Amino acid sequence: KNCLIMIITGNYPKLRLRRSRKYDWSRKLVQDNNLSYNDLILPIFLTEGKGKEVKINSMPNVNRYSIDRLKNVIDRALKLGIPMVALFPYTDPKKKNVYGSEALNENNLVCRAIKFIKKTYKNKIGIMCDVALDPYTSHGHDGILDKNYVLNDETIEILINQSLIQAQMGCDVLAPSDMMDGRIGEIRKSLDKNGYKMTQILSYAVKYASSFYGPFRDAVGSKGLLKSDKKNY
């Protein structure tokens, strides 16, 4: 089929975009993007146990789910056409320590969820995993602390191992949210070196101590552990 593409060029005062914005039909012709289910990633918050759906007070109508309840959630996501889910764990406080060692446990909550989803759905839906230590540290920060300062390079070494474990379990997209300088390049090199060249990385550019991000900390159980609302980066 033949088609015409409407392109607007020029500068003010000759270019007046209000003319193009006046009607719905004209806005459709010049708009850059369309938002659809293809653009969405569904966050899923995990909890230990069986048959559990735990409400998150700071996120109305959002729950934490035990792994045996994931099928209902993912079936709905697939029906809607959502292409990927993102996994966030609520770690048992007894498993937390100053180093976030549970992040490197191949049988932790996230790893078991990855394996369940891959076994059940193969590649019908993508899996993204948070790469960060705050769900696993007893102090709630995203890395190793030294005199209340988050150590950058020492933390990256742990994040590399966390990334490799998640990739090994079947994670499709690693999403480092830790904000350590240089971690993306080091993780990429390690993935390639260990045979995970097809594993993708989605990097968080920045995040804030705000009402927008705060509920995520609450959902993974790290919010109440922080000494300050601002992370010491």
Side-chain angles (χ1 to χ4, degrees):
K1 293 182 180 180
N2 295 324
C3 67
L4 297 174
I5 299 175
M6 186 173 178
I7 300 175
I8 297 177
T9 59
N11 297 299
Y12 179 85
K14 292 183 178 180
L15 173 64
R16 293 181 180 268
L17 294 176
R18 291 182 65 185
R19 287 192 287 255
S20 302
R21 296 197 297 264
K22 186 174 181 180
Y23 299 109
D24 180 63
W25 61 262
S26 60
R27 291 194 296 272
K28 288 180 179 178
L29 285 170
V30 299
Q31 67 185 1
D32 290 328
N33 300 294
N34 288 310
L35 182 64
S36 73
Y37 285 113
N38 292 332
D39 302 297
L40 302 179
I41 299 170
L42 176 66
I44 298 180
F45 301 98
L46 306 168
T47 189
E48 293 283 3
K50 292 185 177 181
K52 288 189 176 182
E53 294 186 16
V54 182
K55 292 182 179 180
I56 302 171
N57 293 332
S58 57
M59 290 184 174
N61 301 316
V62 177
N63 299 326
R64 301 185 189 101
Y65 297 92
S66 54
I67 291 175
D68 62 326
R69 291 297 181 94
L70 289 182
K71 192 174 187 305
N72 291 336
V73 179
I74 297 176
D75 283 349
R76 292 200 301 269
L78 283 171
K79 187 175 181 180
L80 290 169
I82 294 175
M84 184 162 65
V85 296
L87 305 180
F88 298 88
Y90 182 86
T91 305
D92 185 341
K94 295 179 181 178
K95 296 181 179 180
K96 296 184 178 186
N97 60 32
V98 294
Y99 302 106
S101 302
E102 181 66 10
L104 305 184
N105 178 5
E106 295 182 2
N107 197 42
N108 66 25
L109 189 55
V110 168
C111 290
R112 282 183 278 125
I114 295 170
K115 289 190 287 186
F116 170 81
I117 296 170
K118 276 299 177 186
K119 181 179 180 181
T120 306
Y121 297 95
K122 308 302 180 186
N123 291 312
K124 292 181 180 179
I125 194 165
I127 303 173
M128 184 168 82
C129 293
D130 185 45
V131 177
L133 299 184
D134 58 316
Y136 308 100
T137 55
S138 54
H139 45 70
H141 288 275
D142 274 337
I144 299 174
L145 286 181
D146 181 26
K147 298 178 182 178
N148 294 323
Y149 184 79
V150 179
L151 299 177
N152 195 90
D153 295 0
E154 292 82 351
T155 297
I156 288 177
E157 292 302 315
I158 299 176
L159 298 175
I160 289 171
N161 290 325
Q162 183 185 22
S163 298
L164 287 172
I165 290 170
Q166 291 179 351
Q168 181 184 357
M169 295 300 126
C171 179
D172 300 296
V173 180
L174 299 167
S177 65
D178 57 285
M179 307 310 297
M180 298 298 110
D181 292 336
R183 87 274 203 217
I184 300 301
E186 293 303 313
I187 290 172
R188 180 75 269 163
K189 284 192 295 185
S190 183
L191 289 172
D192 292 350
K193 181 180 178 181
N194 287 276
Y196 298 105
K197 292 183 178 181
M198 297 304 293
T199 302
Q200 301 179 60
I201 299 176
L202 182 150
S203 170
Y204 288 69
V206 68
K207 62 184 181 182
Y208 302 91
S210 72
S211 295
F212 294 102
Y213 189 75
F216 269 75
R217 292 197 184 105
D218 188 23
V220 302
S222 66
K223 185 176 181 180
L225 300 176
L226 295 174
K227 296 180 181 179
S228 159
D229 287 337
K230 295 182 178 180
K231 292 191 174 185
N232 189 3
Y233 295 160

